[in-house]
């Protein structure tokens, strides 16, 4: 029954009744915390579904939810590049990106690039040229270096240095890193 403006109860026309009934039937009680969001990502070729806090960075999701700790938390301000991963093939500072922004995206971390037994050529070149030193920035450096190979980058060492300027190495292994990148780039 519907109570009109006069206060009299009348039956709703069938079309109106179904219009009201349909949305009510379709809406289920909301049980999800409004601060949570469902995301689906493909991480290192594995589809991952999760319900995460909307404030969760991609970096924290990878490290804390998926235990992929190869990606490092450095400055947490996008200035050091230690957290670099690939999203849909492009390098991204994962500390500056919310995981909720990447629903449906494909993410590759250093763990997805190669393994100790089957290293990616860039990983092998970093080892061969001692481009890893203490190792803290190495994952981010390698992820940036592999992305660089697909970007429009000049052929000179200065071009490589400019393209890698978002990745900082406190050990100062820059000449070794450039040599590793040059080796892989020249081989392709």
């Amino acid at each position: 029954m519907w109570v009109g403006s006069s206060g009299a109860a009348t039956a709703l026309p069938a079309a109106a009744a179904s219009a009201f009934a349909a949305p009510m039937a379709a809406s289920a009680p909301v049980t999800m915390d409004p601060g949570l969001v469902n995301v689906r990502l493909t991480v290192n070729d594995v589809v991952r579904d999760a319900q995460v806090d909307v404030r969760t960075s991609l970096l924290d999701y990878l490290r804390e939810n998926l235990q992929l700790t190869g990606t490092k938390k450095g400055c947490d301000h996008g200035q050091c590049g230690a957290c670099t991963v690939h999203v849909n093939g492009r390098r991204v500072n994962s500390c500056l990106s919310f995981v909720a922004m990447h629903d449906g995206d494909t993410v590759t971390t250093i763990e997805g690039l190669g393994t100790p037994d089957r290293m990616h050529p860039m990983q092998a070149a970093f080892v061969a040229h001692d481009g890893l030193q203490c190792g803290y920035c190495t994952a981010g450096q390698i992820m940036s270096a592999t992305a660089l190979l697909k970007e429009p980058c000049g052929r000179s060492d200065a071009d490589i240095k400019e393209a890698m300027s978002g990745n900082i190495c406190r050990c100062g292994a820059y000449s070794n890193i450039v040599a590793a990148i040059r080796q892989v780039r020249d081989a392709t």
Side-chain angles (χ1 to χ4, degrees):
M1 300 299 280
W2 176 70
V3 179
S5 60
S6 66
T10 61
L12 284 174
S18 67
F20 284 110
M24 292 178 70
S27 64
V30 176
T31 57
M32 192 169 122
D33 183 326
L36 300 178
V37 62
N38 292 321
V39 293
R40 171 177 276 194
L41 290 88
T42 301
V43 180
N44 299 335
D45 298 325
V46 177
V47 175
R48 306 284 189 155
D49 290 306
Q51 191 176 70
V52 296
D53 187 301
V54 295
R55 299 166 294 181
T56 304
S57 71
L58 178 59
L59 172 63
D60 289 338
Y61 173 73
L62 294 169
R63 289 183 55 82
E64 297 172 17
N65 293 54
L66 303 182
Q67 307 304 310
L68 296 170
T69 57
T71 305
K72 299 295 188 261
K73 181 178 278 194
C75 66
D76 219 14
H77 296 285
Q79 297 173 341
C80 74
C83 66
T84 305
V85 298
H86 296 173
V87 175
N88 298 331
R90 300 185 66 183
R91 54 181 158 167
V92 167
N93 287 338
S94 60
C95 73
L96 294 182
S97 188
F98 293 114
V99 69
M101 298 165 54
H102 296 290
D103 186 35
D105 285 348
T106 298
V107 177
T108 305
T109 69
I110 192 72
E111 292 92 343
L113 202 61
T115 65
D117 297 332
R118 295 189 59 196
M119 286 193 279
H120 182 279
M122 190 63 74
Q123 292 171 310
F126 267 65
V127 171
H129 290 278
D130 194 22
L132 43 106
Q133 305 262 333
C134 83
Y136 198 82
C137 72
T138 306
Q141 297 273 3
I142 290 173
M143 296 308 287
S144 278
T146 54
L148 178 153
L149 298 176
K150 299 175 186 168
E151 298 170 358
C153 177
R155 303 296 298 174
S156 72
D157 287 356
D159 294 327
I160 293 173
K161 291 175 184 175
E162 176 61 26
M164 293 293 292
S165 64
N167 291 79
I168 296 172
C169 171
R170 289 185 169 200
C171 299
Y174 294 115
S175 59
N176 302 6
I177 292 169
V178 170
I181 294 169
R182 191 178 339 109
Q183 175 188 314
V184 176
R185 188 182 62 183
D186 292 347
T188 56

